[in-house]
Amino acid sequence: MGRLSFICFSLFIFITATHQLQTSQTQVLLQLRKHLEYPKMLDVWNQSNDDLCYTPSSLTLSIACEGISVTQLRIVGDKPVKVSNFSSFKGFALRDQTLSERFSVDSFITTLTRLSSLRVVCLVSLGLWGPLPEKIHRLYSLEVLDLSSNFLYGSIPPKISAMTNLQTLTLDNNFFNGTVPDWFDSLPNLTFLSLKSNKLTGPLPDSVGRIKNLTDLALSENHVSGGIPDLSGLSSLEVLDLRENRLSTGLTNMPKSLVTILLSRNSLADEIPKRFGELLRLQHLDLSFNLLHGMPPSSLFSLPNISYLNLEFNQLSGSLPKGLHCSNALGYVDISTNRLTGALPSCLSSRWDKRVVKFGGNCLSDDPGHQNEESFCKEAGKVIKESRHKGIGALVGVIGGVVIVMFLSALALLLFCRRYCSRGLAEQHLLPKALPANTPTGFSSELLANSRYISQAKLGTQGSPVYRLFSLEELNEATNNFDQSSYLGNGSTGKLYKGRLENGAYVAIRCLALFKRYSIRNLKLRLDLLSKLRHPHLVCLRGHCIDGSYNDTSINRVFLIYEYVPNGNLQSRLCESNPDKVLKWSERLAVLIGVAKAVHFLHTGIIPGFFSNRLKANNVLLDEHCVAKLSDYGLSIITEEIDKLEAKAEGHKSSLIESQAHSWQLKKLQDDVYSFGLILLEALVGGTVSEKEEAFVLNEMASSFSSQDGRKKIVDAIVLTTSCEESLSIVISITNKCISPESSVRPSIEDVIWNLQYAAQVQATGDGDQKSELAPEA
């Protein structure tokens, strides 16, 4: 009897303890709901008296239990990190975007760690903000941690290295701003590591190459610099995504297991290693927008599984073999804007209907209307080779740097002279000899209707909204009937308003009043031409609206709807008094390179090209990653008639001398290279250069920029303290050429890009050397 009583008592204690433990887990979940400020998807917890482990799963909520413990918790909220958040978030709560000021991430994580049996935690787009606490490591059983699309900042906690069961770590789209941790190799089971779209800096540590079980590594859209460590030991790695960083030096050995390599938009130099041709599993390779040179390995084109190969906008040179073999899987190839010569191999010709090939902007014998002269590529290749040999010595002292700058300047002038003549001949073949005089910029309706791309690569704009027609009612609703509160000011042409569409997206709306000098069809042809412009460094034109019911029957109101870029413009950032917002020299170079690439695309990416874009520093907008986006481009085909009518209204008020002066000013405005030179000048001196100051600054450049003491008088102090002498000299030299009164001396936009990229590479090398010197000795 006593034994039976003992058993019954023990069973009662066990049942009671189980119930209390289950209740405690429930209380923790309800406490988490309170911390998250009662999000809608968790209302189901409050409405049900049943065990929360049996809550039906959905796209926004999933919970799993084993026995009496919660093992999985997935919550997806409605507070994603948007473009506007990157400029407005300063480490504090944002109304309707983050959790409130009362939220404490430390208290939240403390509560979460009470669910000690958790193996999967996914807390996405919940508005979590603050530094991620070290105590997160108390979730010692965790295998999957996903905190993406929140507002977490600071360093990634080092104690995560103690979570030895962790297999997946995803912290995308946050604001982590420390260096890339060097302890990931302490996680023996880690297979998936994604830290995309943060603000991580510093080099990629060598320890990354020792994460033995890693299959996916993604750190795109950060500020990671230096070289890529040796990853050849990662025998399971399939995806490598390091796009849009500041990686430099050459390409390192890669594991043969790779299926996808994304390294675009860095500053990678040297040649493409032949070992890349041994990556037999490789399907997708993107090395575009780097500084790679030499001959691309033929084996890249014949890899058995390669389907996408993008080598665009590098400095690749030489002739592809006539007998080049292309894999049957190869569906997309882009080798445009390099220095390639000779004939296009047959496997890259147009006879392959299922293969898209882009090759414009080289010196190939195929399609000469869209190619440079062969001499241009050969001379440019010679410059690249010689500059590579001299680059290391140039960094040792100022004298070597000056010699290289003088050498490059002389060659740039020679290249321009050769290219200028050939480009003039090419344009004569592209454009009709006689065009109607009554059409703006000489674009006939036939030419507009037949406009086409030279290079149709989307350049990273796959996510751009589709161009569409907007109704006037939509625009009135988006701007509250164009209320004064939505007015942003006057741009270079027309009034500018900020609007919010029905889907919550912000847009910038430009209103133009155009005289009805040509038909609606002609106007739509011009707008259609504008709509084709898609480039990562152009503000995206999302659509238009034509209002023909305006009070004045002689005028059409045209509304152009653009993406809204909230992070200010280059001019304001150059005049910024806040030290945290002032652009350093390397950042200014990145912005200038972006603008130059946008101008190059406007000139060459479509036929007919867009010239006379009247570039200004206040039209260079900066997005959340400080990436340059050019606005007010291509409007010359629409607004030139406004200029002509205004000039006609002035009659004969101006004297001959004034007319000549106006003509000179107009020529300067119409020359994009000259206008870009003025933007370069503002980046050097650190502020707006008015027309009155322009003559003074140009005179000072001639007399003062040649010496260090002279530069101190005029160059922005931030530039002087954050630049190396050789990089600065290269930019000063190309600026001098751009703003030369003699148009024949001005370089091509391709030469400008090359010099700026070279200056950025020299600066990156100088910054790396300086860090090495300042680093404490072991």
Side-chain angles (χ1 to χ4, degrees):
M1 183 71 179
R3 181 178 175 84
L4 180 63
S5 298
F6 176 77
I7 294 173
C8 291
F9 177 75
S10 300
L11 183 61
F12 171 78
I13 294 295
F14 174 76
I15 294 173
T16 304
T18 301
H19 175 72
Q20 288 177 341
L21 185 59
Q22 182 64 53
T23 301
S24 105
Q25 298 265 297
T26 301
Q27 291 302 316
V28 170
L29 291 172
L30 295 177
Q31 188 68 26
L32 289 175
R33 174 172 174 261
K34 180 179 179 181
H35 280 302
L36 295 174
E37 299 174 1
Y38 305 102
K40 187 175 181 180
M41 79 287 295
L42 298 186
D43 287 350
V44 64
W45 286 357
N46 196 45
Q47 296 167 0
S48 174
N49 294 322
D50 298 330
D51 190 338
L52 297 187
C53 291
Y54 293 97
T55 303
S57 296
S58 66
L59 294 175
T60 58
L61 176 62
S62 174
I63 186 171
C65 305
E66 289 184 9
I68 57 176
S69 302
V70 178
T71 57
Q72 296 186 29
L73 179 62
R74 303 173 187 265
I75 309 174
V76 179
D78 59 356
K79 292 181 170 61
V81 177
K82 302 176 182 177
V83 170
S84 57
N85 298 144
F86 286 97
S87 58
S88 57
F89 182 64
K90 307 298 181 184
F92 301 98
L94 294 175
R95 185 177 180 181
D96 299 326
Q97 298 180 66
T98 68
L99 295 173
S100 70
E101 295 179 356
R102 298 187 302 274
F103 173 76
S104 167
V105 69
D106 188 77
S107 298
F108 175 77
I109 296 298
T110 299
T111 303
L112 182 67
T113 56
R114 290 169 59 191
L115 301 174
S116 57
S117 297
L118 277 171
R119 294 202 298 268
V120 176
V121 171
C122 296
L123 304 171
V124 178
S125 298
L126 292 172
L128 307 176
W129 65 275
L132 186 61
E134 291 271 9
K135 63 185 69 174
I136 188 74
H137 82 283
R138 296 177 185 173
L139 294 170
Y140 55 86
S141 299
L142 211 59
E143 297 173 2
V144 176
L145 177 61
D146 184 353
L147 300 176
S148 57
S149 292
N150 283 292
F151 294 77
L152 302 170
Y153 60 85
S155 299
I156 298 173
K159 286 194 176 180
I160 289 181
S161 62
M163 302 168 71
T164 54
N165 293 315
L166 201 62
Q167 299 174 19
T168 297
L169 177 60
T170 307
L171 301 175
D172 299 344
N173 292 292
N174 277 284
F175 294 82
F176 290 108
N177 53 13
T179 56
V180 180
D182 63 355
W183 40 257
F184 286 126
D185 59 333
S186 300
L187 300 171
N189 297 299
L190 189 64
T191 60
F192 186 97
L193 175 61
S194 186
L195 309 174
K196 297 186 292 187
S197 298
N198 279 281
K199 297 184 177 181
L200 296 171
T201 60
L204 199 58
D206 292 338
S207 58
V208 170
R210 297 191 292 271
I211 311 175
K212 295 298 183 182
N213 296 312
L214 199 63
T215 61
D216 295 72
L217 175 61
L219 285 95
S220 59
E221 298 182 62
N222 279 283
H223 305 302
V224 181
S225 57
I228 302 174
D230 187 353
L231 304 177
S232 59
L234 303 182
S235 57
S236 300
L237 190 65
E238 295 184 347
V239 177
L240 176 64
D241 183 2
L242 301 177
R243 292 169 294 170
E244 298 186 44
N245 278 287
R246 299 171 182 175
L247 298 169
S248 56
T249 68
L251 293 168
T252 185
N253 293 332
M254 295 289 175
K256 294 184 178 181
S257 55
L258 275 167
V259 175
T260 299
I261 300 177
L262 305 175
L263 297 174
S264 61
R265 301 188 181 282
N266 282 284
S267 297
L268 297 169
D270 215 335
E271 299 183 355
I272 302 175
K274 291 183 178 180
R275 289 188 178 182
F276 271 51
E278 300 173 4
L279 304 178
L280 301 182
R281 298 188 61 198
L282 193 62
Q283 298 177 14
H284 193 126
L285 176 62
D286 190 348
L287 300 176
S288 60
F289 289 87
N290 279 289
L291 300 171
L292 300 169
H293 61 91
M295 184 68 188
S298 301
S299 52
L300 283 182
F301 299 84
S302 59
L303 288 170
N305 295 296
I306 192 73
S307 61
Y308 181 98
L309 178 60
N310 193 345
L311 307 177
E312 178 193 10
F313 222 114
N314 279 282
Q315 297 166 1
L316 302 174
S317 59
S319 300
L320 293 170
K322 292 182 180 179
L324 182 73
H325 174 67
C326 294
S327 169
N328 291 331
L330 190 58
Y332 183 95
V333 181
D334 194 341
I335 54 174
S336 58
T337 319
N338 278 286
R339 301 287 189 265
L340 298 172
T341 56
L344 200 64
S346 60
C347 75
L348 298 179
S349 65
S350 57
R351 69 185 181 88
W352 296 89
D353 295 334
K354 295 183 179 180
R355 182 172 296 149
V356 177
V357 180
K358 309 295 181 184
F359 57 91
N362 284 285
C363 298
L364 299 167
S365 57
D366 304 74
D367 198 13
H370 305 147
Q371 302 292 323
N372 300 305
E373 289 293 316
E374 186 174 358
S375 58
F376 171 76
C377 290
K378 288 185 176 180
E379 291 294 342
K382 182 180 178 182
V383 174
I384 293 168
K385 289 179 181 178
E386 295 189 7
S387 63
R388 299 292 175 189
H389 289 302
K390 295 182 180 180
I392 298 175
L395 293 174
V396 176
V398 176
I399 297 177
V402 173
V403 170
I404 288 181
V405 171
M406 292 176 64
F407 178 70
L408 289 174
S409 301
L411 279 176
L413 178 59
L414 174 62
L415 294 177
F416 173 77
C417 291
R418 295 187 178 187
R419 179 171 174 77
Y420 183 80
C421 298
S422 61
R423 186 169 61 182
L425 291 172
E427 289 175 354
Q428 289 178 15
H429 291 290
L430 287 173
L431 297 177
K433 293 182 179 179
L435 296 173
N438 62 344
T439 56
T441 68
F443 290 152
S444 67
S445 297
E446 180 181 0
L447 187 61
L448 290 166
N450 295 322
S451 63
R452 58 193 176 89
Y453 287 102
I454 295 175
S455 175
Q456 295 184 9
K458 296 305 180 184
L459 301 169
T461 59
Q462 291 90 338
S464 298
V466 176
Y467 187 91
R468 70 179 182 90
L469 298 179
F470 286 79
S471 67
L472 188 58
E473 290 73 18
E474 282 182 278
L475 301 185
N476 283 330
E477 183 176 352
T479 60
N480 193 19
N481 293 317
F482 292 92
D483 185 76
Q484 186 65 25
S485 60
S486 65
Y487 179 66
L488 295 176
N490 276 318
S492 58
T493 50
K495 294 182 178 180
L496 201 62
Y497 297 86
K498 179 182 178 181
R500 185 176 184 180
L501 302 179
E502 187 177 3
N503 63 4
Y506 286 100
V507 291
I509 305 170
R510 181 177 302 288
C511 178
L512 306 174
L514 301 181
F515 290 93
K516 297 180 178 178
R517 297 190 62 190
Y518 43 71
S519 66
I520 292 294
R521 177 182 177 276
N522 204 337
L523 176 58
K524 287 181 178 178
L525 285 172
R526 298 167 194 281
L527 292 171
D528 180 66
L529 192 55
L530 276 178
S531 73
K532 293 179 180 179
L533 300 175
R534 288 289 188 270
H535 191 276
H537 293 295
L538 292 179
V539 175
C540 178
L541 180 61
R542 300 185 56 175
H544 74 266
C545 170
I546 301 176
D547 177 22
S549 61
Y550 193 58
N551 295 337
D552 190 339
T553 57
S554 65
I555 291 177
N556 280 319
R557 282 200 308 174
V558 178
F559 299 91
L560 301 180
I561 296 86
Y562 295 90
E563 70 171 311
Y564 180 67
V565 184
N567 208 17
N569 60 59
L570 176 60
Q571 188 177 84
S572 63
R573 292 294 293 273
L574 293 176
C575 302
E576 182 63 55
S577 57
N578 186 340
D580 295 332
K581 293 183 178 181
V582 175
L583 297 177
K584 298 178 181 178
W585 179 240
S586 58
E587 294 170 326
R588 298 186 192 197
L589 284 175
V591 169
L592 294 170
I593 290 170
V595 179
K597 288 178 178 178
V599 176
H600 178 266
F601 175 77
L602 292 172
H603 288 185
T604 64
I606 194 169
I607 291 293
F610 284 85
F611 298 86
S612 306
N613 290 287
R614 302 194 177 187
L615 310 173
K616 296 180 181 179
N618 59 358
N619 289 339
V620 177
L621 307 183
L622 303 178
D623 71 7
E624 66 277 8
H625 300 299
C626 219
V627 173
K629 286 182 173 285
L630 183 63
S631 67
D632 289 7
Y633 54 85
L635 293 180
S636 57
I637 67 165
I638 295 178
T639 60
E640 185 176 328
E641 68 158 5
I642 298 175
D643 301 331
K644 288 182 177 178
L645 287 174
E646 290 177 350
K648 186 176 180 181
E650 290 293 325
H652 300 285
K653 293 181 181 179
S654 301
S655 65
L656 180 60
I657 296 177
E658 290 172 334
S659 178
Q660 290 174 340
H662 175 74
S663 176
W664 162 238
Q665 289 295 331
L666 189 59
K667 285 181 179 179
K668 290 195 298 183
L669 288 171
Q670 290 176 341
D671 188 331
D672 285 342
V673 173
Y674 183 94
S675 300
F676 184 75
L678 293 180
I679 296 177
L680 287 171
L681 186 59
E682 291 190 35
L684 287 168
V685 302
T688 307
V689 179
S690 66
E691 289 186 9
K692 292 182 179 180
E693 295 171 323
E694 185 177 325
F696 168 76
V697 173
L698 296 182
N699 182 61
E700 284 293 312
M701 283 189 71
S703 60
S704 302
F705 272 23
S706 58
S707 67
Q708 279 194 342
D709 291 335
R711 291 176 186 178
K712 291 179 182 178
K713 298 178 183 178
I714 190 170
V715 176
D716 186 10
I718 295 296
V719 173
L720 290 174
T721 56
T722 60
S723 67
C724 68
E725 184 175 356
E726 186 188 357
S727 175
L728 183 58
S729 297
I730 294 171
V731 176
I732 289 174
S733 176
I734 197 66
T735 303
N736 270 319
K737 292 180 176 65
C738 288
I739 58 180
S740 171
E742 298 295 329
S743 60
S744 60
V745 177
R746 296 174 197 154
S748 67
I749 194 65
E750 292 91 341
D751 294 329
V752 173
I753 293 174
W754 192 91
N755 277 272
L756 289 176
Q757 288 181 326
Y758 184 66
Q761 185 181 358
V762 169
Q763 183 62 44
T765 304
D767 289 343
D769 291 345
Q770 186 179 18
K771 288 179 181 178
S772 298
E773 292 173 3
L774 294 176
E777 294 183 4

